[in-house]
Amino acid sequence: MMSTVEEIADLKRQHNAVVLAHYYQRPEIQDVADAVGDSLQLALAAQQTQADVIVLAGVRFMAETAKLLNPDTIVLAPTLDASCSLVEQSPPDAYREFLAAHADHTVVSYVNSGLEMKAMSDVVCTSANAERVIAALPHDRPLVFGPDRHLGAWLQQRTGRPMVLWNAECEVHAAFDAQQLDTLRLANPNARILAHPECPSPVLERADVIGSTSALLTYVMDHPHDSFIVATEVGILHKMRHHAPLATLIPAPPLHVTECACSACPHMKMNTLDGVLNALRTLAPRIEIDAELAARAVRPIYRMFELVQ
Ligand code: 13P
Ligand code: SF4
């Protein structure tokens, strides 16, 4: 009898399928993936693959982005229920009303957003390219940024461009706490703090390095003997440990948690290895997007690619 890992490999061959996994996926899913990446890397991998089937092990908006960029490919998600607090805190009707009050603004949306929000946007960005996308936008119109208010506040500071911000946050990164970081730093005086820009500003003010998931991983790989306090989702530690086995990695705990030092995204963690296997066995569940909505939602993603190659 084949193991789960062997059966996944066998089904990938049979269906000419690839598994694309986000860095926040469980280690066993990352280990069967053909590519592991952050949101931008996964979008590019989905766009460029020659596979007939993509299993996108991440959250739903990532699978939707893959389908938008590769509409002729079957895109499977191990579960369709893996949402994101940024999507849940941004109902399309409320966002439409918000935009109507800022009609003369250029609308920049984080890729961590629903299809309707993307469709209402002028340009999309990811955490890896947000600064470059905003820097490339003409200065003739003011900016709206949504949905992540912490990322938006950090981008205002970095780019010097004022923005009207939508008020949503990532439930994982918003839970990191400045006082806990101070305590960890006192106990580990040589450790540098790494933080994702979805963290609140008191956390970012204490960080030595701020960057997207891939940028933080690259920083650790470039300093493989150093110590780090990592203020982002705990899944990234798998690749950090793999690529920098001698680095000391201290996961920052979320607020009010002192025992377990982990900060896991409940949406990302809905995916399991059995879920990946089941998707490959049944070729379901599939991401299907209404053609008219897809045409509107993909436009700002292509604009992102035009602005930053
Ligand atoms: P990146 O993949 O762009 O680093 O974003 C982090 C995240 O929260 C994804 O859900
Ligand atoms: Fe959404 Fe945050 Fe989870 Fe990423 S980590 S999927 S932004 S809730």
Side-chain angles (χ1 to χ4, degrees):
M1 204 179 110
M2 278 194 280
S3 68
T4 304
V5 170
E6 286 166 344
E7 196 178 342
I8 287 173
D10 187 53
L11 287 165
K12 282 203 284 186
R13 272 190 301 274
Q14 276 183 43
H15 296 305
N16 185 28
V18 287
V19 175
L20 307 181
H22 191 271
Y23 286 124
Y24 298 167
Q25 291 297 287
R26 297 170 192 278
E28 61 272 25
I29 296 181
Q30 296 190 35
D31 290 346
V32 299
D34 299 272
V36 181
D38 67 3
S39 302
L40 180 61
Q41 292 166 327
L42 293 179
L44 291 169
Q47 187 182 33
Q48 289 159 9
T49 184
Q50 299 298 314
D52 296 319
V53 176
I54 296 170
V55 180
L56 200 307
V59 290
R60 189 176 173 132
F61 74 75
M62 295 177 178
E64 288 169 348
T65 300
K67 184 69 181 171
L68 290 174
L69 290 171
N70 204 334
D72 298 331
T73 299
I74 295 172
V75 176
L76 309 172
T79 169
L80 295 179
D81 295 334
S83 182
C84 167
S85 61
L86 291 169
V87 177
E88 288 170 359
Q89 293 168 18
S90 311
D93 286 344
Y95 202 65
R96 196 170 291 110
E97 244 176 71
F98 169 72
L99 293 186
H102 302 94
D104 57 339
H105 288 50
T106 297
V107 181
V108 186
S109 291
Y110 193 27
V111 74
N112 299 26
S113 54
L115 288 165
E116 292 281 1
M117 184 187 263
K118 287 190 178 70
M120 287 182 246
S121 305
D122 295 302
V123 64
V124 158
C125 65
T126 78
S127 61
N129 66 16
E131 265 186 87
R132 284 181 294 136
V133 167
I134 288 162
L137 285 172
H139 282 249
D140 56 343
R141 287 167 71 195
L143 304 180
V144 160
F145 184 86
D148 190 306
R149 68 188 170 99
H150 300 302
L151 176 64
W154 179 72
L155 287 168
Q156 289 196 82
Q157 221 183 320
R158 295 288 302 176
T159 64
R161 288 198 69 173
M163 297 171 200
V164 181
L165 303 180
W166 178 253
N167 187 17
E169 60 185 16
C170 159
E171 68 189 84
V172 178
H173 291 91
F176 290 117
D177 175 58
Q179 271 76 48
Q180 277 177 320
L181 281 184
D182 290 343
T183 308
L184 267 181
R185 173 99 90 178
L186 270 180
N188 304 277
N190 294 324
R192 258 160 286 163
I193 296 176
L194 309 181
H196 195 283
E198 290 171 12
C199 294
S201 60
V203 169
L204 297 181
E205 279 158 19
R206 285 159 172 81
D208 300 291
V209 183
I210 300 170
S212 68
T213 313
S214 58
L216 299 182
L217 172 61
T218 303
Y219 191 84
V220 171
M221 287 164 67
D222 289 344
H223 303 82
H225 301 283
D226 293 359
S227 298
F228 301 102
I229 295 165
V230 184
T232 188
E233 212 268 1
V234 71
I236 187 62
L237 266 71
H238 182 57
K239 284 290 179 219
M240 287 179 174
R241 285 189 189 115
H242 176 79
H243 291 295
L246 299 179
T248 302
L249 301 169
I250 304 156
L255 186 60
H256 304 314
V257 177
T258 48
E259 295 287 315
C260 145
C262 50
S263 190
C265 171
H267 309 285
M268 289 279 181
K269 269 31 180 195
M270 288 177 90
N271 294 325
T272 61
L273 199 60
D274 282 341
V276 173
L277 174 61
N278 193 49
L280 283 163
R281 273 185 183 156
T282 58
L283 293 183
R286 294 185 189 197
I287 299 290
E288 306 285 3
I289 305 172
D290 166 77
E292 187 270 333
L293 176 60
R296 288 189 290 125
V298 80
R299 224 172 3 103
I301 304 179
Y302 282 129
R303 178 96 197 277
M304 166 179 80
F305 291 141
E306 281 161 26
L307 287 176
V308 295
Q309 282 303 319

